Structure formats: C-alpha cells, structure tokens
Amino acid sequence: DAWYGRANDSLSALSLSAGIARYHGWSYDFLMRQTLPRLMGFPRERTDLLLRFETGLAVGQAMLTAVALGVGTGLVAFGRRPGGVERAFALPDHYRFTWAQALGYPLEDPRAGGQRPRLRFERLFHDGKFGVPLRADPETDDLLREKGMLQEQAPLRGRFEEIDRIAAQFGREPGCVHWPAAEIRRLLDDPAWEFGPGFRAHAEAVLAAGNLPEYPEEMRELLERLQAERGVSAPGG
C-alpha cells in the first residue's frame, strides 16, 4: 500500500528536500495533473514488482555495508508455505515478505573461497537489442580487478581444508555435496558459463575420484513434471 497511500506525501517530501526543482521542468500543476495520477494508475501487480525491486536495492546496499564493516551476511529464502512468515511475525495483510537477511561474524576467510562462477558477460547483457551480445571491455575488467570488484574465482587454495576445519569444530560432516557425474560433465561443457582453470581442474578431480550420486527417481519425476508444466529443463535437458 506504500505506493498508493504515500505517493502524494512522497512527492511533497521530495520537493521539500530539494528533489523537485522548477528548473528541472517540474511544476505543481504538472505533478497534480500528470505525475500523481499516472503513479496512482499503475496496476497493483506492476507496483508489487517495482517495490520488490526497490527492496532488492535496499538489501544490496545493506549487504555491501555489512561486508565493508567486516560483518558476515547472506540471504535466506522462505516461501514454500505462503503466509507462514507473515503470520510468525504478525505482519499486516498489506506487508509482503521477500527475504530474510542473516548477519553475524563469520569464521570463514572473508573471501569465502573465492568468487563463484558466473554466466558469461555476453550471455547476460545485450547490445542495443536482445540477442546481440554486449562484449566485455578488457580495460574495464582490469580496473574492476584492481578495485577488488572482480576477484579470483572459487575454489581458492585451502578452501576445502577450511570447510573441514570449521565442520570439525562444530561436529558437522566434512566435505562438499556433489552432483551426478553426467551433470558435472554437462555443466563443464555448457558454453554459457565462464569457468576458470582452477574450477575446471577441481571438477575433473571430483569426476576422477568417482563415488558420485545419481538422481533419486522421485526427483527425476518431479523435474520432468515441472518441465512439462513450466518449461523447466529436466536432468540432462
């Protein structure tokens, strides 16, 4: 309800804080006859998306701030049972829960094993129109690495030993969870991903070690049903 219930007050507050100036082209008549009616006319499903996006911006800023202060943080997804979190915290009906954000002081190295693999830049960004890949600029990449915004890809040396050490400290099971061999091989062969040599070397070592699981039949059936209903790829698809 914040969008519809506070749009008028938000514009007034924005003006009083020097955010709406006449030299920008604003006028009270335009705001009342054009801007406010347009904002109030947005359908609720659209405002829900916009407010969730703004929530994401706020969470992103909170995570960056936590990291800058040396505080560990991460997001925890809920929502399998709609309304459960809202009831637990007695939220009003017009509140929408998105994510839980955990905060604490981590035992892990701040690098957390390295920067996890990403899809290739040109698969994520488009030049002018969808389907035309936008190519990364090598000089920009070098600048981002210099600033620490692009970091060495996981797994960093000593990461697995760190995991096992922390597991032993709290009586937890050591090691990492792995997927079936065919799925690991399919992942490595997928050209959409940007995997560095260290990642590939570790994946090959996992494949060589063997003793990898297979998909439970019930999961295969679920994924196949989801594929039929929602167009989600089943294993190997």
Side-chain angles (χ1 to χ4, degrees), residues 176-187 203 206-207 210-216 219 223 235-236:
C176 291
V177 179
H178 295 302
W179 261 240
E183 287 298 295
I184 295 176
R185 181 61 64 190
R186 182 174 65 84
L187 183 65
V206 168
L207 288 170
N211 195 30
L212 295 170
E214 291 295 336
Y215 271 109
M219 180 56 68
L223 290 174

Side-chain angles (χ1 to χ4, degrees), residues 1-221:
D1 287 351
W3 185 280
Y4 304 102
R6 296 179 183 159
N8 186 46
D9 290 347
S10 295
L11 290 173
S12 179
L14 192 61
S15 173
L16 292 170
S17 58
I20 300 177
R22 294 183 184 277
Y23 83 90
H24 289 150
W26 295 106
S27 70
Y28 182 73
D29 185 70
F30 181 82
L31 288 166
M32 290 298 103
R33 296 180 183 275
Q34 299 288 335
T35 306
L36 188 59
R38 181 172 60 85
L39 293 176
M40 297 293 285
F42 275 39
R44 182 170 290 275
E45 58 269 19
R46 178 60 178 162
T47 61
D48 278 353
L49 285 174
L50 291 171
L51 291 172
R52 286 174 183 268
F53 177 78
E54 291 189 357
T55 301
L57 291 174
V59 170
Q61 292 295 327
M63 296 183 76
L64 288 173
T65 301
V67 171
L69 294 174
V71 178
T73 185
L75 300 182
V76 184
F78 293 94
R80 184 172 178 266
R81 296 180 180 178
V85 174
E86 288 82 353
R87 287 192 297 272
F89 289 97
L91 298 181
D93 290 340
H94 61 283
Y95 275 53
R96 297 290 180 268
F97 178 82
T98 51
W99 293 84
Q101 183 172 0
L103 293 169
Y105 294 97
L107 293 176
E108 298 179 353
D109 183 284
R111 295 173 297 172
Q115 186 167 298
R116 68 181 177 87
R118 307 286 186 182
L119 292 174
R120 294 186 182 279
F121 185 89
E122 60 269 19
R123 293 295 185 107
L124 293 172
F125 301 101
H126 308 270
D127 191 359
K129 66 177 182 179
F130 187 84
V132 179
L134 178 65
R135 303 297 175 183
D137 176 24
E139 292 186 3
T140 301
D141 287 351
D142 291 340
L143 176 63
L144 293 174
R145 289 189 181 93
E146 178 185 334
K147 300 296 184 182
M149 299 178 70
L150 283 179
Q151 301 178 15
E152 186 178 352
Q153 191 181 81
L156 297 181
R157 179 174 298 178
R159 172 58 172 169
F160 297 103
E161 292 77 7
E162 178 185 52
I163 290 172
D164 290 347
R165 175 179 54 79
I166 295 175
Q169 183 176 346
F170 291 94
R172 299 294 184 90
E173 186 175 354
C176 291
V177 179
H178 295 302
W179 261 240
E183 287 298 295
I184 295 176
R185 181 61 64 190
R186 182 174 65 84
L187 183 65
L188 292 176
D189 292 341
D190 188 340
W193 287 90
E194 186 168 5
F195 295 132
F199 181 95
R200 290 187 176 276
H202 176 68
E204 293 292 349
V206 168
L207 288 170
N211 195 30
L212 295 170
E214 291 295 336
Y215 271 109
E217 282 305 312
E218 59 270 23
M219 180 56 68
R220 185 177 296 278
E221 293 171 3

